[in-house]
Amino acid sequence: AQTVTQSQPEMSVQEAETVTLSCTYDTSENNYYLFWYKQPPSRQMILVIRQEAYKQQNATENRFSVNFQKAAKSFSLKISDSQLGDTAMYFCAFMMLTRDDKIIFGKGTRLHILP
Amino acid sequence: GAVVSQHPSWVICKSGTSVKIECRSLDFQATTMFWYRQFPKQSLMLMATSNEGSKATYEQGVEKDKFLINHASLTLSTLTVTSAHPEDSSFYICSADEGTGGRETQYFGPGTRLLVL
């Protein structure tokens, strides 16, 4: 069974700093997707970034980038120039493209951006 | 981008009553919809996978007679919490994918907060 582990329950950084959120996963599959989702206080789940396992190049979306290490089964999220609006719960997630396409979420990291 | 709505956004009900939550894909057809439950300060737990025109697939430990799911059309799935009790109080979130060509992207609804008194 696939599992997703986020070892940092909570983090705080000053505005404008760079922060890295850790995520490791376990799977025996070779083809899958990895995601980082943001859940702000409104509780709306927002897709931050997505990585296809078959792509070696790390995904980037503006200030958000990932460090995808497939052999190590690691998928960390780096937020550059952090902003107050980045304060949220961040979930790392895994999905295998099977008949039911289930997403498995980690327990989340609560990120506080301090002014 | 694709939008998923949920209705109601919050509901308060008495113990023993049934509550229906709707999940709609507004600008795309969703072959598959998913229902999650989220307790305060916890992660999303998948409850069931709903496929249009067929029975839902429930995760282990989820009572299918308690949480009735109907996916009657390509844009609508409903979750009915039958004979709700206080322990059913939670935040319920649905998501939907676009099917072939878009299965790797799921769009989440804004969630429904259920409080059972």
Side-chain angles (χ1 to χ4, degrees), chain A residues 26-63:
Chain A
D26 188 25
T27 183
S28 58
E29 299 296 325
N30 196 45
N31 295 318
Y32 48 87
Y33 287 87
L34 294 164
F35 308 88
W36 278 98
Y37 280 93
K38 170 184 178 181
Q39 188 180 40
S42 68
R43 303 189 79 173
Q44 170 73 60
M45 294 290 285
I46 301 167
L47 177 64
V48 175
I49 202 164
R50 182 182 73 198
Q51 175 79 43
E52 293 90 336
Y54 63 87
K55 289 187 177 179
Q56 291 186 336
Q57 187 173 6
N58 289 324
T60 299
E61 288 289 342
N62 300 313
R63 297 183 295 107

Side-chain angles (χ1 to χ4, degrees), chain A residues 54-78:
Chain A
Y54 63 87
K55 289 187 177 179
Q56 291 186 336
Q57 187 173 6
N58 289 324
T60 299
E61 288 289 342
N62 300 313
R63 297 183 295 107
F64 300 87
S65 62
V66 296
N67 183 4
F68 175 45
Q69 301 290 328
K70 191 172 182 179
K73 296 178 183 176
S74 171
F75 184 62
S76 61
L77 174 70
K78 185 172 82 171

